[in-house]
Amino acid sequence: MLMTAERAPVWPASEYLDGSVLSALLDELDGDTCSLTSFVTDFVSLWDTRAQRLTDALAAQLVDEAHVVLLSIRSSAHMIGAVVLEASATAMLDELHRSGIGACEPSISGLLSDGQGSCRALVAVLARLSS
């Protein structure tokens, strides 16, 4: 069973993000909060498109497309410290490889919820960055 099926569908906002990852990213950007804000904004604004692409790929049984979208979600979540979303995407990728695309259907709602929760937490980060 996947992690998303075993936990409550909504985590506290502080649980969605690893703040140390965002701090490290800010360090890599030489303290440029404008660049960090842009990166976070892009992640949030792209979420609906990624979620729709994944939903469409699962509905059409497009294994390669689902794989690509899940890799995109996982890698971008990792880069921004969205640990819950990264774990859900990893679990879904594992399920895709182990049991096929049909086995991913039950996990999509958890992953989508994790993405929305991560975006809410990131919007809170944006608010703190702009204040």
Side-chain angles (χ1 to χ4, degrees):
M1 186 175 291
L2 294 176
M3 180 193 79
T4 55
E6 296 174 351
R7 62 161 177 73
V10 177
W11 292 83
S14 62
E15 297 292 319
Y16 282 100
L17 302 177
D18 179 347
S20 67
V21 174
L22 285 172
S23 293
L25 181 57
L26 183 59
D27 288 345
E28 288 177 33
L29 296 169
D30 295 323
D32 183 353
T33 57
C34 288
S35 292
L36 181 63
T37 298
S38 177
F39 191 82
V40 170
T41 300
D42 287 347
F43 181 93
V44 171
S45 67
L46 289 171
W47 173 248
D48 287 339
T49 300
R50 286 185 176 131
Q52 189 62 56
R53 282 182 60 205
L54 181 58
T55 301
D56 292 347
L58 291 177
Q61 302 284 300
L62 300 172
V63 174
D64 290 341
E65 176 69 3
H67 184 252
V68 167
V69 176
L70 284 167
L71 286 174
S72 172
I73 291 169
R74 182 177 71 179
S75 63
S76 61
H78 176 79
M79 290 174 64
I80 208 156
V83 292
V84 173
L85 180 57
E86 179 185 2
S88 290
T90 298
M92 197 174 220
L93 274 166
D94 291 346
E95 190 66 27
L96 179 65
H97 294 146
R98 193 174 44 253
S99 303
I101 197 160
C104 294
E105 287 285 331
S107 304
I108 187 70
S109 65
L111 184 132
L112 296 176
S113 176
D114 293 340
Q116 292 167 347
S118 297
C119 287
R120 282 191 303 273
L122 288 164
V123 167
V125 168
L126 287 172
R128 286 193 304 273
L129 286 172
S130 65
S131 60

